[in-house]
Protein backbone atom coordinates (compact mmCIF):
# COMPACT_ATOMS: atom_id res chain seq x y z
CA UNK A 1 0.00 0.00 0.00
CA UNK A 2 1.28 3.50 -0.72
CA UNK A 3 1.57 6.51 1.55
CA UNK A 4 -1.59 8.39 2.42
CA UNK A 5 -1.07 12.16 2.45
CA UNK A 6 -3.45 14.41 4.40
CA UNK A 7 -3.56 18.19 4.41
CA UNK A 8 -5.04 20.28 7.23
CA UNK A 9 -8.52 19.88 5.71
CA UNK A 10 -8.22 16.08 5.84
CA UNK A 11 -6.72 16.18 9.34
CA UNK A 12 -9.69 18.22 10.60
CA UNK A 13 -12.04 15.49 9.31
CA UNK A 14 -10.28 12.96 11.55
CA UNK A 15 -9.41 14.72 14.83
CA UNK A 16 -11.40 17.40 16.68
CA UNK A 17 -8.48 19.82 17.19
CA UNK A 18 -8.78 23.29 15.69
CA UNK A 19 -6.70 26.47 15.70
CA UNK A 20 -4.97 27.63 17.76
CA UNK A 21 -4.15 24.16 19.21
CA UNK A 22 -4.15 22.17 15.95
CA UNK A 23 -0.41 21.87 15.45
CA UNK A 24 0.05 19.48 12.52
CA UNK A 25 -0.40 20.89 9.03
CA UNK A 26 0.26 17.76 6.97
CA UNK A 27 0.42 14.05 7.78
CA UNK A 28 1.82 11.27 5.58
CA UNK A 29 0.73 7.83 6.78
CA UNK A 30 2.57 4.60 5.94
CA UNK A 31 -0.16 1.99 6.58
CA UNK A 32 2.11 -1.00 5.98
CA UNK A 33 4.53 0.01 8.74
CA UNK A 34 2.07 1.71 11.15
CA UNK A 35 4.01 4.95 11.11
CA UNK A 36 3.48 8.54 10.04
CA UNK A 37 5.40 11.74 9.36
CA UNK A 38 3.88 15.16 9.99
CA UNK A 39 4.78 18.80 9.47
CA UNK A 40 4.41 21.30 12.34
CA UNK A 41 4.83 24.67 10.64
CA UNK A 42 6.28 27.24 13.05
CA UNK A 43 6.02 30.14 10.59
CA UNK A 44 2.24 30.28 11.06
CA UNK A 45 2.46 29.82 14.84
CA UNK A 46 4.92 32.45 16.01
CA UNK A 47 2.44 33.33 18.79
CA UNK A 48 3.53 30.11 20.56
CA UNK A 49 6.90 31.75 21.27
CA UNK A 50 5.45 34.93 22.81
CA UNK A 51 6.44 35.35 26.42
CA UNK A 52 8.54 32.17 26.55
CA UNK A 53 11.85 33.85 27.25
CA UNK A 54 11.03 37.17 25.54
CA UNK A 55 14.66 38.14 24.95
CA UNK A 56 15.54 34.73 23.52
CA UNK A 57 12.32 32.97 22.43
CA UNK A 58 12.16 29.17 22.27
CA UNK A 59 9.21 26.86 21.64
CA UNK A 60 7.89 25.29 24.85
CA UNK A 61 8.93 21.65 24.46
CA UNK A 62 5.54 20.24 25.36
CA UNK A 63 4.19 21.51 22.04
CA UNK A 64 6.35 18.95 20.24
CA UNK A 65 4.85 16.17 22.37
CA UNK A 66 1.34 17.46 21.59
CA UNK A 67 2.19 17.53 17.87
CA UNK A 68 3.38 13.90 18.14
CA UNK A 69 0.08 12.92 19.76
CA UNK A 70 -1.96 14.69 17.08
CA UNK A 71 -0.03 12.95 14.29
CA UNK A 72 -0.47 9.64 16.11
CA UNK A 73 -4.22 10.14 16.52
CA UNK A 74 -4.61 11.00 12.82
CA UNK A 75 -2.66 7.88 11.87
CA UNK A 76 -4.48 5.52 14.23
CA UNK A 77 -7.94 6.79 13.29
CA UNK A 78 -7.13 6.63 9.58
CA UNK A 79 -5.93 3.02 9.99
CA UNK A 80 -8.91 2.11 12.23
CA UNK A 81 -11.93 3.98 10.88
CA UNK A 82 -14.33 2.17 13.22
CA UNK A 83 -12.84 4.34 16.01
CA UNK A 84 -13.51 7.67 14.25
CA UNK A 85 -16.12 8.59 16.89
CA UNK A 86 -13.53 8.15 19.67
CA UNK A 87 -11.52 10.93 21.22
CA UNK A 88 -7.92 10.16 22.11
CA UNK A 89 -6.29 11.35 25.31
CA UNK A 90 -2.86 10.80 26.78
CA UNK A 91 -2.79 7.75 29.02
CA UNK A 92 0.86 8.33 29.82
CA UNK A 93 3.93 10.14 28.54
CA UNK A 94 7.23 8.41 29.29
CA UNK A 95 10.90 8.84 28.54
CA UNK A 96 10.53 12.38 27.24
CA UNK A 97 13.79 13.98 26.22
CA UNK A 98 14.25 17.53 25.01
CA UNK A 99 17.57 17.55 23.19
CA UNK A 100 17.60 20.82 21.26
CA UNK A 101 15.75 24.09 21.63
CA UNK A 102 13.42 25.00 18.80
CA UNK A 103 13.72 28.60 17.64
CA UNK A 104 11.30 30.76 15.64
CA UNK A 105 13.57 30.71 12.59
CA UNK A 106 13.68 26.90 12.50
CA UNK A 107 10.62 27.16 10.25
CA UNK A 108 9.23 23.64 10.46
CA UNK A 109 9.37 20.70 12.80
CA UNK A 110 9.22 17.22 11.29
CA UNK A 111 7.28 14.82 13.49
CA UNK A 112 7.72 11.04 13.22
CA UNK A 113 5.44 8.60 15.06
CA UNK A 114 5.26 4.82 15.07
CA UNK A 115 2.88 2.40 16.75
CA UNK A 116 4.83 0.17 19.14
CA UNK A 117 1.89 -1.83 20.51
CA UNK A 118 -1.87 -1.59 20.43
CA UNK A 119 -4.71 -3.19 22.33
CA UNK A 120 -8.05 -2.83 20.63
CA UNK A 121 -11.46 -4.04 21.73
CA UNK A 122 -14.80 -3.38 20.11
CA UNK A 123 -15.28 -0.23 22.20
CA UNK A 124 -11.88 1.04 23.36
CA UNK A 125 -8.30 1.32 22.17
CA UNK A 126 -4.97 1.78 23.91
CA UNK A 127 -2.02 2.53 21.66
CA UNK A 128 1.63 2.78 22.68
CA UNK A 129 3.69 4.97 20.38
CA UNK A 130 7.18 6.32 19.96
CA UNK A 131 7.61 9.78 18.51
CA UNK A 132 10.34 12.22 17.59
CA UNK A 133 10.50 15.87 16.59
CA UNK A 134 13.31 17.01 14.31
CA UNK A 135 14.44 20.36 12.97
CA UNK A 136 17.08 21.49 10.50
CA UNK A 137 19.10 18.72 8.94
CA UNK A 138 17.51 15.89 10.92
CA UNK A 139 18.52 17.30 14.30
CA UNK A 140 16.60 15.51 17.05
CA UNK A 141 14.81 18.12 19.16
CA UNK A 142 12.64 15.83 21.31
CA UNK A 143 11.44 12.27 21.66
CA UNK A 144 8.87 10.47 23.75
CA UNK A 145 7.06 7.22 24.30
CA UNK A 146 3.38 7.70 25.03
CA UNK A 147 0.08 5.89 25.28
CA UNK A 148 -3.07 7.18 23.65
CA UNK A 149 -6.41 6.04 25.06
CA UNK A 150 -9.42 6.21 22.75
CA UNK A 151 -12.78 6.71 24.39
CA UNK A 152 -16.24 7.79 23.34
CA UNK A 153 -17.26 11.01 25.04
Amino acid sequence: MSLVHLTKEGIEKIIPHREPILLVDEVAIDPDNCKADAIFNLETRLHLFAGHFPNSPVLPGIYTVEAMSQAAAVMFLHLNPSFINHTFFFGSIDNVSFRRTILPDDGKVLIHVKIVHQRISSQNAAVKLYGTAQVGQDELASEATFIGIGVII
Side-chain angles (χ1 to χ4, degrees):
M1 198 180 277
S2 61
L3 290 178
V4 176
H5 183 81
L6 298 170
T7 62
K8 189 175 269 191
E9 182 178 285
I11 293 165
E12 288 180 342
K13 291 179 181 174
I14 296 176
I15 61 174
H17 302 71
R18 297 295 181 269
E19 294 294 341
I21 197 61
L22 178 60
L23 301 177
V24 291
D25 298 290
E26 300 174 40
V27 179
I29 302 167
D30 178 352
D32 295 333
N33 295 301
C34 295
K35 63 182 183 178
D37 297 326
I39 300 291
F40 172 11
N41 186 348
L42 300 174
E43 295 163 353
T44 59
R45 296 185 177 83
L46 293 176
H47 64 279
L48 298 177
F49 293 89
H52 198 250
F53 309 116
N55 294 327
S56 184
V58 298
L59 182 72
I62 197 64
Y63 282 113
T64 61
V65 179
E66 175 63 24
M68 289 177 211
S69 75
Q70 290 178 19
V74 169
M75 172 183 58
F76 178 81
L77 292 169
H78 177 80
L79 296 175
N80 299 279
S82 63
F83 283 88
I84 202 70
N85 62 341
H86 287 61
T87 300
F88 275 77
F89 295 97
F90 281 117
S92 68
I93 305 171
D94 299 310
N95 303 317
V96 179
S97 296
F98 299 106
R99 302 186 179 276
R100 178 195 184 280
T101 56
I102 297 175
L103 307 172
D105 62 358
D106 282 324
K108 294 182 180 178
V109 180
L110 181 58
I111 302 293
H112 304 284
V113 292
K114 180 169 180 55
I115 294 175
V116 175
H117 180 75
Q118 58 187 5
R119 187 172 28 198
I120 300 174
S121 71
S122 60
Q123 296 183 12
N124 297 310
V127 186
K128 183 175 184 177
L129 301 112
Y130 171 73
T132 63
Q134 296 177 321
V135 292
Q137 296 296 318
D138 295 326
E139 287 185 74
L140 182 63
S142 62
E143 63 183 330
T145 302
F146 54 98
I147 293 177
I149 306 292
V151 297
I152 297 175
I153 321 185

